[in-house]
Structures are given as structure tokens and as C-alpha cells.
Amino acid sequence: MTATSSCPTASQAAPVNLVIFGATGDLAMRKIFPALASLCQNGLLSHDTRILAVGRTDLSADEYSNLLGEKLAQAIPPSCLADLVPRIRYLRLDPDEPESGYTLSMALGDLDRETPKNRLFYLAVPPSAYIPLATMLGEAGLGRESEDTSVRIVVEKPFGRDLATARELDTVLHRYFKERQIFRIDHYMAKETVQNVLLLRFANALFEPVWNRRYIDHIRITAAETLGIGHRAGFYDQAGVLRDMFQNHMMMLLSLCAMEPPSIFEAELVRDERSKVFRALRPLDLERLDEQLILGQYGPGMSGGEAVPGYLQEPGVRPDSITPTFAWLKVYLDNWRWQGVPFHLCSGKRLEAKHTEITVQFKSVPVSMFRKSRDEVIPPNRLVIGIHPDEVVRLEVQTKGQGSQLCLQGQSMEFSYGAGSGLGRLDDYAKVLLDCITGDQTLFWRQDAVELCWGFLTPILDRCDCPDSELPLHTYVAGGPGPKAAQRAG
Ligand code: BG6
């Protein structure tokens, strides 16, 4: 398939004072600084943008520059690092100290001395630090915007650990910031092929007429990982796969597959439509939960040719932990378009391959007119939207196999993103960071959607968290296909 037009590249964002809390941490080093470097490299970061890297560790400017050099050497080309580092200033700050808000205001005042700039506060810290930091910013008056400059705050999922804590976090954020100032990041939304779901659906007349309960049998959304929990036991053992992957990424993918077209592609209208999907989620029947939910936990096995420990043997995991690392969940949406169509959501760690994809399975033809000659059963059409590692859109159809006999042959019509020029392409974090700087909220979670998803999942989580729950937790071999029960379920 050939591309018929190329995308204009984004233009340079207005200068900003970017404050990164957690600036010595994993998220900042692995994702945020490389994303900034990528913006820099693509000419999208203004020369006047300044970065205030904030951490609790006592480091001199030189020590912090050395740390950056050391941690980012692999991820960022040296020329890019040389461009970025002079714009970064390190500030040691302990938000628990009463004068921390004042210290931060002074540091920002220094950065603003030439011209006041927009401000962006990025909370790259553990979720338990969101409320204290938002409070510190708010109490120091740093949430207030002026006529000419904006103030934005960025938080990463998880937004709470259930409905009550999500609301608690939101109350504090809203005490000091307006909804339009709050950017709740879901990096899945910045993936090219994820965004492509809406383009594919709503920029083609071909798919939409069949995109409903009449023609679609089911939709399957898979996010399988080969990695285990790494060094994240502290977080993961409290969260599990439902909080880590379902409340956010999987729900977001579901909403893109199921939403109605907004009248125009604008942040609030798109977000309205996504929320309507979550509002239509049919509550699970808790008495028959095992028909719609299969949970698993990986045992020891082989991954990438190496023996790997089971979840319970991972350092930092409670030896009797019942935290699921795998889930298969069947959900229904109670609305006209989707009544009766199951959505199978499946995600797990330590599976045999890393792959993220959406499969739309259409209904079978009503009857096979070829049944007398050869084929009794005609496989249904499928539209596969590959997100990782293959960024493809593949339509699986039936054709005539070559030869004198009448026989069916499955064929794929495929478009591969990877084969494109990649010009102007930004990685996930660079894209969302640019949107935070320019103030485009289309790809971010709005609080009503967060609460609707927690409202749906919290009763299930209460069951899963309960040691006396009768829900089975299936052990699966690391590096394998996942629990057998889930493979049977589809
Ligand atoms: C994160 C989860 O949000 O997404 C991780 O916390 C998970 O546990 C990761 O590994 C998966 O992201 P990706 O982009 O690699 O599919």
C-alpha cells in the first residue's frame, strides 16, 4: 500500500519553564529527558525553554550534570545532550520542609528574570507524593496563572488506587488547579498506531458502516509483555495488572475502538465521547465473576533463553502474595452500537512474546455457498491493528486459491507503519510532553473518565484484593502463553 500524503511536522512550542520533580529518578532518566532530547533534536523545543530538575538528593550543579551524562549516554546522542544540559538547573528540595514552596518560587523567579514564561510542573514521583507536592505548589501560589502565562501540572497514572483515592487526589488537584491545567498522562495514547484507530475508523467510509453489533462478533485487545516486574515490586505488589494496565491503557484502547465520532476533532469533544463509552460499561456480575474474569500469576520459567523466577520469588514480593500479573476480562457495553458484542481485554507479564494489538473479528458469512464443493466453514474476516512490535493494519480476507479446484485461501491486505519514512515521528513520551507544553489535552485522561473506570473496576478489585476471595488465581509458566483457562476463553 502506498502513502498518499505526508504529515506536516509540528511547529516549535512556546518557551516554557519545565519543573521536573523526581529528577534523579527512573522515569525522568528513562523517559522524560530522552523525550526532551528528541524534541530538541527535532527543533520543537524553544531555545528559551529552561528545565528545573528537582530532587531530594543534595547534588551540586556539576554532580547533577555528571549524573545526567552517565544515565543518558546510551539514550541520547552527545550533540543533543550538549544542547540540553546547559538549559537544566538542579534544585535540591524536600517538599516536607515548610519553606520548600518559597524556595521553589525563588528558583522559578530567577528563571523568569528575563521574560515570564509558561510553567509546567511534571510530577515524575511515586503516586504517594502527588498530594504533598500539589499541596506545596498550591499553597505557594504556584498554581495561579497570569493573563499572559499558563501553569500546567502533569501527573502519571496510577491516578489513585480505587475510586475513593482517585477522588481524594482529584479534590486536592482541583483545590489549586483547574481541570484544563491538569494533564493526566497515558503514554499508550501517544503511540502512533493507537491514534490511528480513530483515523482508520472516521477518515474512511469503508469501516464505519460495519463497525457495530450487526457485523462485529467480538473485539480483542491484547497487551502481552515478556518482562516481569523488574525492580518495581514495591509498586506492583500493591497494584497488580488490573490497576497497572487495565484501569488506564486497556480502557483507553477500548474507548477508541468503541466511541462514537465527535462532530469535530477537538479535545473536549473527543474526551466526551470516550467518557460515554465508560458510562456504558455493564457492571460485572460479581456472583458469576469467573465467567468474565480470569486472573493469573507467573511461576518460574524461561524468558529470552534464560531461567527466570516466578512472581513470588521476585525480590520484594510478599511470599504469599495474591497479586495478579495476568488478567483476561470480558466486558460489554450497554448501548445501541455494541449491545451483545463482547470485548476481550487481555494483558499479562512474563508471556511468550511482547505484543500489543487490537483484533476486530467480524461475523461469519450467514451460509457458505461453497459447502457442496469444498469448504464447509469460511473463516471470518478480521481487522488487526498491530501496535507493538508490528505497527500494522491488516485485513484478513478469503480469496480463491490458485488452481483448477475451487478452494478458499486466506489472504492479508496489510499496511505497515514501520515501512513509512518516519519523518516527523516522535516517540510516545516526546509526543505527550509536547502536548503538555502546547496545552492540547486530547490524548489525556479527564477526571470523569478516570472515575468511571475506577467505578467499574473497584468492585472487582475489592474481590481480587481479598485473601478469602473464591476467585481462582491461575499460575502460569513464565515465558509461556498464559493461563490455560484464558486460552480456552478466547
Ligand atoms: C506501564 C506499566 O504503564 O506500561 C508497565 O506500568 C508496563 O507495567 C508498561 O510494562 C507497558 O508499556 P509499553 O509501552 O511497553 O507497552
Side-chain angles (χ1 to χ4, degrees):
M1 215 182 269
T2 42
T4 49
S5 75
S6 61
C7 256
T9 38
S11 44
Q12 192 175 84
V16 64
N17 282 333
L18 170 60
V19 181
I20 304 175
F21 293 100
T24 54
D26 191 53
L27 179 63
M29 294 298 176
R30 270 191 323 110
K31 298 287 185 185
I32 303 174
F33 284 114
L36 281 167
S38 151
L39 293 178
C40 225
Q41 214 169 9
N42 283 286
L44 298 173
L45 200 67
S46 158
H47 285 293
D48 294 327
T49 286
R50 296 288 172 270
I51 297 150
L52 191 60
V54 179
R56 285 173 183 262
T57 319
D58 209 353
L59 294 174
S60 67
D62 283 349
E63 283 169 331
Y64 189 66
S65 297
N66 292 342
L67 182 71
L68 281 178
E70 205 179 287
K71 297 259 183 184
L72 301 177
Q74 303 297 324
I76 305 182
S79 61
C80 217
L81 201 57
D83 192 3
L84 195 62
V85 170
R87 307 179 197 201
I88 303 174
R89 197 183 134 192
Y90 182 74
L91 176 72
R92 193 207 77 87
L93 194 87
D94 180 350
D96 298 334
E97 289 168 3
E99 71 284 7
S100 56
Y102 175 76
T103 311
L104 182 62
S105 302
M106 290 295 109
L108 279 167
D110 276 354
L111 293 188
D112 267 349
R113 203 166 295 147
E114 291 142 36
T115 11
K117 292 191 221 56
N118 295 335
R119 287 179 181 170
L120 184 63
F121 297 108
Y122 199 129
L123 309 193
V125 291
S128 56
Y130 291 169
I131 291 186
L133 276 175
T135 308
M136 180 204 76
L137 291 171
E139 291 299 318
L142 291 170
R144 279 197 294 272
E145 299 181 292
S146 74
E147 237 170 60
D148 311 316
T149 55
S150 66
V151 175
R152 298 185 184 121
I153 183 164
V154 185
V155 284
E156 289 266 341
K157 64 104 200 165
F159 317 116
R161 55 173 283 109
D162 53 21
L163 183 56
T165 48
R167 286 188 171 147
E168 204 180 306
L169 168 64
D170 189 59
T171 305
V172 176
L173 288 172
H174 273 119
R175 195 172 295 149
Y176 305 110
F177 299 90
K178 302 195 173 62
E179 182 64 28
R180 66 175 163 71
Q181 295 178 273
I182 306 171
F183 285 69
R184 299 180 191 83
I185 285 199
D186 184 328
H187 76 279
Y188 263 52
M189 279 301 282
K191 292 180 190 280
E192 287 268 327
T193 26
V194 169
Q195 291 179 51
N196 190 42
V197 176
L198 291 191
L199 275 289
L200 192 71
R201 288 187 56 197
F202 300 131
N204 294 290
L206 186 65
F207 298 113
E208 217 25 43
V210 293
W211 205 266
N212 56 46
R213 71 194 155 89
R214 277 222 209 148
Y215 299 100
I216 291 180
D217 185 74
H218 67 269
I219 294 186
R220 186 182 163 91
I221 302 174
T222 308
E225 299 188 71
T226 49
L227 293 178
I229 55 157
H231 302 293
R232 299 165 75 214
F235 158 74
Y236 198 90
D237 206 35
Q238 298 297 321
V241 66
L242 291 173
R243 291 188 178 89
D244 187 41
M245 293 294 290
F246 279 67
Q247 198 280 335
N248 30 71
H249 309 322
M250 302 300 276
M251 285 293 169
M252 196 52 104
L253 296 178
L254 167 72
S255 71
L256 296 179
C257 294
M259 68 185 253
E260 298 297 322
S263 56
I264 190 152
F265 192 70
E266 276 179 9
E268 282 321 299
L269 302 188
V270 173
R271 298 190 330 157
D272 285 345
E273 295 305 333
R274 291 207 299 255
S275 292
K276 285 184 202 163
V277 172
F278 302 135
R279 213 164 278 132
L281 278 165
R282 184 187 301 168
L284 297 192
D285 179 350
L286 296 178
E287 298 311 312
R288 300 166 65 183
L289 204 49
D290 54 344
E291 291 170 22
Q292 281 185 256
L293 176 66
I294 296 168
L295 299 174
Q297 190 184 69
Y298 61 84
M302 297 291 288
S303 182
E306 283 182 16
V308 291
Y311 180 71
L312 295 180
Q313 291 81 48
E314 297 277 16
V317 168
R318 293 164 292 164
D320 56 350
S321 173
I322 54 165
T323 299
T325 58
F326 173 98
W328 173 91
L329 177 66
K330 183 163 66 167
V331 303
Y332 289 93
L333 297 172
D334 281 332
N335 60 23
W336 274 53
R337 189 192 278 263
W338 295 116
Q339 195 55 223
V341 179
F343 289 77
H344 301 188
L345 316 182
C346 181
S347 177
K349 295 215 177 277
R350 280 279 186 244
L351 294 171
E352 58 195 347
K354 163 100 184 152
H355 76 119
T356 314
E357 70 179 25
I358 298 169
T359 303
V360 180
Q361 176 140 339
F362 291 91
K363 291 197 166 157
S364 301
V365 293
V367 61
S368 167
M369 69 177 226
F370 309 106
R371 63 189 180 281
K372 285 212 171 137
S373 38
R374 246 192 137 73
D375 297 283
E376 296 285 337
V377 182
I378 300 184
N381 298 124
R382 299 197 318 162
L383 178 71
V384 179
I385 303 172
I387 295 164
H388 186 91
D390 301 323
E391 297 186 299
V392 292
V393 178
R394 187 170 64 242
L395 184 60
E396 296 175 1
V397 294
Q398 300 304 317
T399 62
K400 180 185 170 305
Q402 290 185 23
S404 56
Q405 297 281 330
L406 189 68
C407 69
L408 285 180
Q409 189 173 51
Q411 290 284 3
S412 293
M413 295 195 263
E414 188 166 304
F415 155 71
S416 168
Y417 253 91
S421 71
L423 271 184
R425 192 174 163 161
L426 294 175
D427 80 8
D428 312 352
Y429 263 81
K431 167 76 181 121
V432 279
L433 195 53
L434 186 62
D435 286 352
C436 296
I437 297 174
T438 57
D440 181 348
Q441 288 185 310
T442 315
L443 300 182
F444 297 79
W445 280 86
R446 200 170 63 187
Q447 181 61 16
D448 58 337
V450 171
E451 290 189 16
L452 286 162
C453 290
W454 275 128
F456 173 73
L457 283 174
T458 298
I460 310 172
L461 286 164
D462 288 344
R463 286 281 169 110
C464 301
D465 290 344
C466 171
D468 302 330
S469 154
E470 277 161 22
L471 257 183
L473 181 65
H474 302 266
T475 303
Y476 58 97
V477 178
K484 287 199 181 68
Q487 290 162 49
R488 280 193 299 271

